[in-house]
Amino acid sequence: MAKAISASELGIELKPGDDGSLFKWFVASFLMGKRIQAPIAAQAYKVIVEEEGRDTARKLQHCTSRELVSMLGRAHYVRYDESTAQRLLDLSAKLNAEYAGKITHIRSASENRQAFEKRLGAFDGVGPKTIEIFMRDAAKVLLW
């Protein structure tokens, strides 16, 4: 089995209360949570967040589906590009609408880790694998 890619390997330094790093790691975890090779998912993260600067839920939501499909294509993330693009847009819209675009607000609204994971799972396209990847690194800074 392929080695898991960590937040630090992507240049994401997770810190308590640092919403920027948590959002970036959530996007990376979302991309890696699909049935796609981790290096391709990591490259897709780099194209979307680093090259295109879509590093907040607000900036991501202001992409078109076509722009996101193009970004995913540049990273060779083509197997689920249409559905992934739409789910990323839906994810950012929900995060903006329900939590003011902040993972830390999901944390504040959750009484414990289990409740937090349940809220993450309410995002379309976020399943147990995405939650497992995200929490592997983020749990250390979410602090209950």
Side-chain angles (χ1 to χ4, degrees):
M1 193 170 145
K3 184 186 142 334
I5 295 175
S6 69
S8 61
E9 286 175 280
L10 291 174
I12 303 168
E13 188 185 342
L14 295 169
K15 293 186 280 241
D18 179 5
D19 210 81
S21 64
L22 286 166
F23 177 76
K24 289 176 187 178
W25 180 234
F26 189 45
V27 170
S29 299
F30 177 85
L31 292 165
M32 288 187 282
K34 306 292 165 256
R35 285 192 180 103
I36 201 141
Q37 294 171 339
I40 292 174
Q43 184 57 38
Y45 161 79
K46 287 177 180 166
V47 169
I48 293 168
V49 173
E50 293 174 10
E51 293 175 20
E52 295 293 331
R54 305 298 180 160
D55 57 355
T56 67
R58 199 144 324 287
K59 289 178 188 172
L60 186 60
Q61 190 180 357
H62 287 98
C63 269
T64 65
S65 181
R66 186 180 301 241
E67 287 171 326
L68 267 175
V69 167
S70 170
M71 291 176 210
L72 291 165
R74 283 183 9 222
H76 306 289
Y77 194 115
V78 291
R79 189 165 170 203
Y80 303 107
D81 57 348
E82 300 276 343
S83 62
T84 299
Q86 191 54 55
R87 284 184 165 154
L88 279 168
L89 291 173
D90 293 347
L91 179 148
S92 56
K94 180 178 172 78
L95 190 58
N96 285 323
E98 296 180 20
Y99 300 102
K102 299 187 181 301
I103 302 288
T104 51
H105 288 191
I106 301 174
R107 164 64 189 85
S108 308
S110 307
E111 54 278 8
N112 56 35
R113 178 178 173 151
Q114 188 178 7
F116 179 82
E117 290 182 10
K118 187 173 183 197
R119 286 175 188 272
L120 288 183
F123 285 85
D124 189 29
V126 175
K129 190 70 190 164
T130 297
I131 294 168
E132 175 192 321
I133 293 167
F134 180 74
M135 294 305 287
R136 189 180 61 223
D137 287 7
K140 301 173 204 106
V141 301
L142 290 168
L143 313 172
W144 271 274

